Amino acid sequence: MPYKNIYRFIILSLCFLPLANSYARIKLITLPVREHVEIQLENKHTTIIEEERIVPLKKGNNNIDFSWHNSSIRPDTIIFRVLNDESGLKTNILSVSYPPNESALTWKVSANQNGSARVRISYAINRLNKKYHYIARANQDESKMQLVQYIKVDNQSGEAFNEARMNTGSEHSVTLPMEIDETQQFINHNYTDVPIEKTYTVNAVQFGYQDRTQDTLNVLMHYQIHNDKAHNMGTQSLVAGKYRIYQQDKEGTAVFVGEDWGEYTAIDDKTDLFIGQARDIVVKRVIERKKHRLINGNLYNLDVLLSYEIENFKNKPVTLIIEEFLPYLNNETLSAISENGLEWEIGSDTTLSGKPIKQRTNSETVAYQIKLPARTEATKKIKLIKKLHINFKNQW
Amino acid sequence: MLNRMKHYPMVLLIILNLMVMNVWAKNIDLSTLPNRDSVQLTIYNSENLTLVRETRQISVKKGQNRLQFSWVNTKIDPTSVQLNIISHPIELQLNNTTFPHDKPQMLYWHIMSAVESLVTVEISYFTSGISWRADYSAILSQSGKTMSMDSFVSVSNHSGEDYENAQVRLVIGKINLVEQVNDLVGQAQYKKEKRKRVKQDMSLRIAKATMSQRAGFYFASNELMEKEKEVEKDSLSEYTIFTIDGTETIPNQWSKRLRSGFSKDINIDIIYRYRPREYGDHLARILLFTNNKKSSLGDAPLPEGKIQLYQKNKQNTLTYIAGVTLKYTSVDDKVELNTGVDPDIYFDLMSLKNWKDMIWMHYRKANVYRRIGDGHIIVDHNSRVAGWNEHQMFAQHVRNYTDNPINVEIRRVIKGDSILKSQLDIKKHDFQTVDIHSHLKKGEKQALLYEVDTKKGRNAKQNQVSLETRIITYPTW
């Protein structure tokens, strides 16, 4: 690092002055250079710098100045540690003094002999931020993908770091120079052969209608990413960030198919990436029946039958998930939401096969999964009619 | 001192007028400037108040002497300035104190002396603008079971005056200023001196023992290596006084930070708590330790201050956890630090199923109540639901994606006349609040199931929750 830069920004210096005048700001100083710099990017909000320098100490008391003009160090986080004692050099940190109107401090350190001490200074720094983003490249049949995690480190902190090791919490780290106002981007993880689970989902409330007059629902496509060993991942939590998704076409060219914000995904957890709307799967949702069955006085049950007309124009089988948000359905049918908890059960007229999906069903939502077979040349398309019968009970 | 006047316009001056006549010259004076021999600062943070006691040596003539004390551009309380004659209390007498009308921040002491001598006087006064604060820096071990902690005290001087080689005392606790300040400092001083005497005796014994050793034995000479200053902690009544060993120089506008303690192996507990009223609507990671001897702490209360928490990572460097406030903690009391959300813990409450029973109808005409399903129902369009029991089943999902087992404590408010049914480890906190406890191994996923039955309308007789042990299974729809 050129000396000019050192003077401008963070300076660690040793003052040889009588200690009685320790607050006089005229000094003769030596400038120990940084031996090693580590940028800790693990914490979501706070970046920590750890730098090591070799500081010559004389027997007796020494003043070590640390100043950070024009850089955004958080002074209350500064930690000073002397690392090695191999040579028999023993040190005591006696005090820290903060001069007025300066971004600086002075450690008063006593040493038992003349020698060089390796010191580590750690501090939090503002405006040295990181962002995660991902590139997913799916193969042509969307069975597998490559997922690359990038980290972009933007240095607006006012300080340059020559050859800094970026520590992101993963087992490996990269060493890069970080100049002022510079942005560095590097690959943190590269996962290959990640099996894809693609889902198609309809939900009249959450995803809405494609055409309300025709009762056709939006069919949303998701890639489900399982951050576990079974899916060739699971080495580190996936930090939230933007996922850009590409798919290979017949010529082997990557075509951009969509992007989404991915949530924080811990090891063994999963996340859904929305990749767009399907056009070759058409779902029509109609309320076929709504019947008010009086029990007594103002107490009644409400009988609702939903009908789904599902068409698959694709040449391959797909899995469709149908979700119903029941408070809305109750409201849709009777225009009043009960103040009490919604009591419901699945009625006998339901033709959706199997049980509701456990992970997606609760007191307000019911979800079913349907396997749609591929269309054939003979049939041209696959059309299914499925019914969902919900009985809302004990309402008033 | 005069030299500093060039740099610092705000100075304290004490001037001894050499004239001993009863009539003072109006505009032409000859003065000497006695230096401060010692100064002691007792800083009461709760009131922005510092008691300064300084000693100076002055020469007095037999007869009337006039002493001028001025404090231009400082923050001294003029009503608090006191003169105390230490060395010749009988021979010298303070007659009166004059505050001249044309010169603010100045006073004259008129002293009658029976001798011509060098006299030691103590001047004490209150000043504002000097403050101290505590702060801490803690490093957790990689396993998260222990931590080391440095405690610091920082003194800032914005009083307008330089204090060189001052003995510094810091008072923790809220003081009543009316009478107690001097007692407090006096008693602490006595204690300190007593301890100092014990130390001196010990040093003397060691020195004697060394002298009696045979030739060829040497003490390792470490004279040049100054030791870290000790901060002595005295408790006095409701207060704690930290006394910094030796003296410190704190020029005006400067701050100085000293280590007041170091504890190497503090046993810590990390517990994950959901208490929305205290910590916000998320599962907070709470770090707990006790201010006692077992934690290599406990020699004094921990004053309130910011604590920066770091953890050693696999690379043997530090990962930042949080910067939080450590509240004043008495000896043997527990410290609770809320370090925020841990992204590696999944926490979500899901309402699984609701149902109702024991529905009572009110027949207005006859003014009678009938329960639905009891076989005696009479259909009446004017009847109304008057009471019912509501059942709600919940799954509290918790997943531990961290590298360590964890303990979770979930506080839920359950209103109304309710019964909480489950097989979980649940304790009542108050009449309508429960704490659900659970332990999760590394990588474990739990769905903590419980059912809340609440009597509503005319069914409700109480307003409290009771607990019932019952196996709850995941519902099927």
Side-chain angles (χ1 to χ4, degrees), chain A residues 42-44 168-169 227 234-240 263-269, chain B residues 272 283 285 311 314 319 340-347 397-406 408 440-445:
Chain A
E42 271 182 276
N43 189 285
K44 192 180 171 187
T168 60
N227 187 16
T235 54
Q236 197 190 0
S237 300
L238 300 175
V239 179
E263 293 171 348
Y264 181 92
T265 315
I267 292 172
D268 288 337
D269 206 354
Chain B
Y272 289 84
L283 188 73
R285 179 171 53 182
Q311 185 161 21
K314 287 168 191 164
T319 299
V341 181
D342 187 338
D344 284 329
I345 310 282
Y346 176 87
F347 184 78
H397 290 282
V398 188
R399 299 175 201 156
N400 176 17
Y401 295 121
T402 68
D403 291 337
N404 299 305
I406 61 162
V408 181
L440 285 90
K441 291 180 207 137
K442 177 189 171 186
E444 192 176 344
K445 299 173 186 175

Side-chain angles (χ1 to χ4, degrees), chain A residues 40 42-43 50 61 74 77 93 96 98 100 110 167 237 264 266-267 296-298 341-343 362-363, chain B residues 4 226-228 254-255 257 310 315 317-320 343-344 351-352 354 356 363 378 380 383 385 390 401:
Chain A
Q40 296 287 346
E42 271 182 276
N43 189 285
E50 293 209 90
N61 286 348
R74 281 165 48 187
T77 61
I93 302 158
V96 194
Y98 301 86
S110 67
N167 188 353
S237 300
Y264 181 92
I267 292 172
N296 198 359
N298 63 341
L342 202 61
E343 182 180 351
N362 55 47
S363 65
Chain B
R4 183 133 328 105
E226 201 178 318
K227 283 197 176 138
E228 239 180 285
W254 280 63
S255 298
R257 185 185 192 227
Y310 304 83
Q315 290 82 20
T317 53
L318 299 181
T319 299
Y320 187 75
D344 284 329
S351 160
L352 293 175
N354 306 314
K356 299 178 195 83
Y363 294 82
I378 308 154
D380 177 356
S383 63
V385 174
E390 181 142 346
Y401 295 121

Side-chain angles (χ1 to χ4, degrees), chain A residues 22-23 25 38 40 42-43 46 48 50 59-61 74 76-79 81 90-101 108 110-112 120 122 124 165 167 170-171 237 264 266-269 294-299 340-344 346 355-356 358-359 361-364 393-394 396, chain B residues 4 8 135 137 139 154 164 221-222 224-229 248-249 251-259 306 308 310 312-313 315-322 343-344 346 350-356 359 361 363 372 377-385 388 390 399 401 445 456 474 476-477:
Chain A
S22 58
Y23 49 84
R25 305 298 287 162
E38 189 128 353
Q40 296 287 346
E42 271 182 276
N43 189 285
T46 307
I48 295 279
E50 293 209 90
K59 187 175 178 179
N61 286 348
R74 281 165 48 187
D76 57 340
T77 61
I78 299 170
I79 297 179
R81 289 176 290 167
K90 287 198 172 72
T91 52
N92 284 326
I93 302 158
L94 302 174
S95 67
V96 194
S97 296
Y98 301 86
N101 309 320
K108 189 172 160 190
S110 67
N112 66 333
R120 185 181 287 170
S122 312
R165 196 168 83 172
N167 188 353
S170 62
E171 281 157 14
S237 300
Y264 181 92
I267 292 172
D268 288 337
D269 206 354
L294 182 76
I295 302 169
N296 198 359
N298 63 341
L299 186 68
N340 300 306
L342 202 61
E343 182 180 351
W344 57 271
I346 292 158
K355 293 270 178 198
K358 190 180 160 188
Q359 292 80 7
T361 303
N362 55 47
S363 65
E364 294 190 327
K393 293 177 75 181
N394 294 324
W396 61 86
Chain B
R4 183 133 328 105
Y8 300 100
D135 70 288
S137 166
I139 300 173
S154 303
E164 284 179 47
S221 169
N222 235 354
L224 270 171
M225 186 182 174
E226 201 178 318
K227 283 197 176 138
E228 239 180 285
K229 289 206 170 173
E248 290 294 331
T249 296
N252 186 33
Q253 304 287 327
W254 280 63
S255 298
K256 201 159 198 177
R257 185 185 192 227
L258 296 150
R259 191 155 85 158
K306 194 154 188 191
Q308 301 290 348
Y310 304 83
K312 268 196 183 151
N313 55 30
Q315 290 82 20
N316 207 25
T317 53
L318 299 181
T319 299
Y320 187 75
I321 299 177
D344 284 329
Y346 176 87
M350 191 181 269
S351 160
L352 293 175
K353 200 174 179 176
N354 306 314
W355 69 100
K356 299 178 195 83
I359 301 171
M361 305 300 290
Y363 294 82
I372 299 279
I377 198 86
I378 308 154
V379 175
D380 177 356
H381 289 286
N382 290 320
S383 63
R384 289 284 178 269
V385 174
W388 69 101
E390 181 142 346
R399 299 175 201 156
Y401 295 121
K445 299 173 186 175
K456 293 201 164 179
Y474 215 89
T476 50
W477 291 274

Side-chain angles (χ1 to χ4, degrees), chain B residues 25-205:
Chain B
K26 191 80 185 167
N27 293 317
I28 303 165
D29 267 351
L30 178 65
S31 333
T32 59
L33 300 169
N35 280 329
R36 255 186 212 137
D37 293 324
S38 73
V39 60
Q40 183 193 70
L41 306 175
T42 308
I43 309 168
Y44 300 82
N45 224 19
S46 58
E47 302 290 341
N48 183 18
L49 182 97
T50 298
L51 172 69
V52 184
R53 288 153 71 116
E54 51 175 74
T55 57
R56 305 194 191 219
Q57 285 201 323
I58 54 169
S59 293
V60 290
K61 303 273 181 198
K62 204 169 176 178
Q64 275 280 6
N65 292 265
R66 192 168 72 146
L67 213 56
Q68 178 196 315
F69 184 68
S70 64
W71 54 92
V72 180
N73 292 330
T74 64
K75 294 177 180 172
I76 288 171
D77 172 6
T79 65
S80 69
V81 182
Q82 284 186 357
L83 178 77
N84 197 5
I85 297 149
I86 304 280
S87 62
H88 296 73
I90 297 160
E91 295 90 337
L92 269 74
Q93 196 184 340
L94 174 64
N95 282 346
N96 64 306
T97 309
T98 309
F99 295 87
H101 74 279
D102 55 341
K103 288 174 186 156
Q105 296 187 307
M106 184 191 282
L107 60 78
Y108 293 105
W109 284 303
H110 300 271
I111 299 166
M112 178 61 81
S113 175
V115 291
E116 184 173 321
S117 173
L118 197 66
V119 174
T120 305
V121 296
E122 182 191 87
I123 300 159
S124 68
Y125 48 87
F126 291 140
T127 180
S128 60
I130 303 178
S131 62
W132 72 273
R133 64 184 171 88
D135 70 288
Y136 306 86
S137 166
I139 300 173
L140 276 73
S141 65
Q142 216 175 305
S143 67
K145 287 181 180 156
T146 58
M147 71 172 191
S148 62
M149 183 169 84
D150 283 302
S151 316
F152 300 98
V153 286
S154 303
V155 179
S156 297
N157 179 9
H158 295 278
S159 69
E161 173 67 2
D162 295 340
Y163 290 98
E164 284 179 47
N165 299 319
Q167 190 190 34
V168 181
R169 296 152 173 275
L170 317 168
V171 179
I172 306 166
K174 189 121 178 118
I175 54 157
N176 179 11
L177 292 177
V178 182
E179 286 289 340
Q180 296 171 4
V181 176
N182 283 330
D183 294 351
L184 183 67
V185 177
Q187 285 180 42
Q189 173 69 22
Y190 172 73
K191 268 193 161 187
K192 159 110 177 131
E193 278 168 3
K194 197 174 164 189
R195 194 164 23 255
K196 204 173 170 183
R197 274 202 299 279
V198 173
K199 273 189 178 171
Q200 277 172 349
D201 289 349
M202 269 179 68
S203 308
L204 202 67
R205 279 204 301 278

